[in-house]
Structures are given as structure tokens and as C-alpha cells.
């Protein structure tokens, strides 16, 4: 069984699209009928995120941590308990490709670090073209890249446990896990084959994460003070 873990904090505006995309991925004929279970970890949610998860048939668990590392770890533990042999992680504001899961498995690695794309830069308003240009200039969307994104990450159950799993970090929990995987001797594929499209929203959920990096890039190019993400 493949377990898909999505941490979520007040994601009612994005989660439906994310779950629809995962539903397509779980029907991929290349999976040869292997079961795929999805869990949404509700971290301090006060909106309709839980209801949307239920509408799409996703399992849920709740925590009041406001900590993405804690949320990912909780979801991983639940999927491992359910018998998952492979854990796939993404985010609630991200749409995975129809072959996202099979592309991870096809790499035959202990872990897969995928790249990301952004389809809509309009949340940055008048600075949208500027930040898109910055992304295109600085991001390496190719095989052998060295990017790490919690929105596009896969790992075998065995390698995850051997590395110690996610730590309770409010940011860079994905980087921390990959570094632990490297120390444990895991075979890691740095690939652009598993595709996802994530949002460029301005209400970043984690300080130091992708959304925050975009805000800082805008501020740097405009020589303006950086804007702190919402908590």
C-alpha cells in the first residue's frame, strides 16, 4: 500500500484541488491496482478543511501544534500503522500529476526528491512577472537537481524508519529528513519526473518555506523590507 500524507492548516480554499489531483494519481494504471490511502493532518484548523477532506474520502487526524514537521510525522505514523510500504508527501496547495506516484516508484530508489512548478504567479500582483523571472533564473527543474520540497517527496517505509522520520521542526523539516536519509545511506533520486504544481500565494504557511522564499525574493529585488508570513 502507498500512503499519501498532506499536512493542512486552514486550507479550505486549496485542499479540494489537491485531493482531486491525488485521486487521479491513485487511479494510474501503472500502479497495477496497488491500494493508495490518503490522510490529511489537520493542524490547528478552524475552517472547513476537515469537511473538504471528508467530501473527498480522505482520512484525517488532528493535532494542535502549528508545526509542519509534527504534522507530517503524525501522518506518516498513521500510514505506516496501516501497512504503507511507500510514503508520498505533498502539500494542501499543490496539485500532483496523474503519474506522480508511479513516477516515484519507477525510480527504484529509497527516496525521491522531486521538483516543483508554479502555474499562476498572479497572487504577487504587480510583482508577478518579477518573481516569476527570479524563479526561472534560479530554479533547476531537471534531473539531478538538488532541491528538496515537502510538496514533492517520497520515501520507502524502511528508509523512513531507518532515518528516524520527521522531526518536530516548524520549517525545513523536509531538508532535515533528507539529510538524515543521506546519513543513513539511503539511495536518493533527485528527479524532475514526478511532477507537481504548487501555489505562489502570499499567505505563506511556514517561515523559511517556499512561499516565504518567494516573498523574500520580491523584497530583495525591490530593495524593500521582507514581509513575514502569516502564522
Amino acid at each position: 500500500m502507498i500512503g499519501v500524507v498532506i499536512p493542512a492548516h486552514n486550507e479550505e480554499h486549496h485542499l479540494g484541488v489537491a485531493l482531486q489531483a491525488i485521486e487521479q494519481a491513485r487511479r494510474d494504471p501503472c500502479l497495477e491496482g496497488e491500494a493508495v490511502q490518503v490522510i490529511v493532518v489537520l493542524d490547528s484548523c478552524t475552517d472547513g478543511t476537515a469537511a473538504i477532506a471528508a467530501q473527498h474520502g480522505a482520512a484525517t487526524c488532528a493535532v494542535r501544534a502549528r508545526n509542519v514537521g509534527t504534522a507530517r510525522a503524525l501522518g506518516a505514523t498513521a500510514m505506516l500503522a496501516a501497512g504503507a510500504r511507500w510514503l508520498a508527501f505533498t502539500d494542501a496547495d499543490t496539485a500532483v500529476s496523474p503519474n506522480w506516484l508511479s513516477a516515484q516508484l519507477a525510480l527504484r530508489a529509497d527516496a525521491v526528491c522531486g521538483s516543483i512548478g508554479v502555474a499562476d504567479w498572479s497572487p504577487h500582483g504587480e510583482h508577478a512577472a518579477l518573481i516569476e523571472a527570479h524563479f526561472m533564473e534560479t530554479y533547476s527543474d531537471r534531473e539531478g537537481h538538488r532541491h528538496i520540497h515537502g510538496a514533492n517527496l517520497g520515501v520507502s517505509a524502511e528508509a523512513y524508519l531507518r532515518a528516524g522520520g520527521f522531526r518536530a521542526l516548524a520549517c525545513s523539516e523536509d531538508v532535515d529528513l533528507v539529510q538524515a536519509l543521506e546519513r543513513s545511506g539511503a539511495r536518493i533520486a533527485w528527479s524532475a519526473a514526478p511532477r507537481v504544481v504548487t501555489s505562489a500565494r502570499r499567505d505563506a504557511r511556514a517561515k523559511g518555506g517556499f512561499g516565504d522564499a518567494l516573498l523574500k525574493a520580491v523584497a530583495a529585488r525591490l530593495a524593500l523590507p521582507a514581509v513575514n508570513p502569516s502564522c
Side-chain angles (χ1 to χ4, degrees):
M1 185 267 281
I2 300 168
V4 179
V5 178
I6 307 174
H9 169 67
N10 290 345
E11 293 284 9
E12 64 181 5
H13 298 299
H14 297 279
L15 183 60
V17 173
L19 291 174
Q20 287 172 0
I22 291 171
E23 180 61 29
Q24 281 191 291
R26 73 193 298 180
R27 294 178 180 178
D28 183 354
C30 292
L31 295 178
E32 299 181 339
E34 181 169 4
V36 177
Q37 294 186 22
V38 183
I39 188 165
V40 178
V41 183
L42 307 167
D43 188 355
S44 306
C45 290
T46 57
D47 65 352
T49 301
I52 292 171
Q55 289 170 9
H56 290 271
T60 60
C61 60
V63 64
R64 298 191 64 81
R66 285 300 283 118
N67 183 290
V68 67
T70 297
R72 289 198 202 277
L74 183 62
T77 297
M79 289 293 95
L80 291 171
R85 70 176 182 94
W86 185 264
L87 300 171
F89 298 92
T90 189
D91 288 338
D93 65 338
T94 300
V96 306
S97 63
N99 71 334
W100 179 59
L101 294 171
S102 63
Q104 289 187 7
L105 297 176
L107 291 164
R108 300 187 181 281
D110 295 317
V112 176
C113 294
S115 56
I116 61 171
V118 177
D120 181 14
W121 296 96
S122 63
H124 289 278
E126 63 180 313
H127 304 312
L130 180 69
I131 194 61
E132 180 179 8
H134 172 82
F135 180 81
M136 297 301 292
E137 291 169 9
T138 59
Y139 195 79
S140 178
D141 189 0
R142 59 174 175 78
E143 294 300 302
H145 69 79
R146 299 294 291 186
H147 303 299
I148 300 173
H149 302 287
N152 192 357
L153 181 64
V155 60
S156 72
E158 181 180 349
Y160 179 84
L161 290 170
R162 188 167 59 244
F166 283 107
R167 291 197 296 153
L169 301 177
C171 178
S172 298
E173 81 296 338
D174 44 6
V175 175
D176 180 75
L177 175 63
V178 172
Q179 290 173 342
L181 286 164
E182 290 178 317
R183 290 192 297 271
S184 73
R187 293 172 294 111
I188 301 175
W190 304 84
S191 177
R195 307 297 303 175
V196 307
V197 175
T198 195
S199 75
R201 65 188 183 188
R202 292 181 57 82
D203 59 329
R205 289 296 190 263
K207 186 174 183 180
F210 179 66
D212 192 24
L214 292 179
L215 295 177
K216 289 180 178 178
V218 170
R221 290 216 168 190
L222 297 176
L224 296 174
V227 179
N228 290 326
S230 60
C231 296

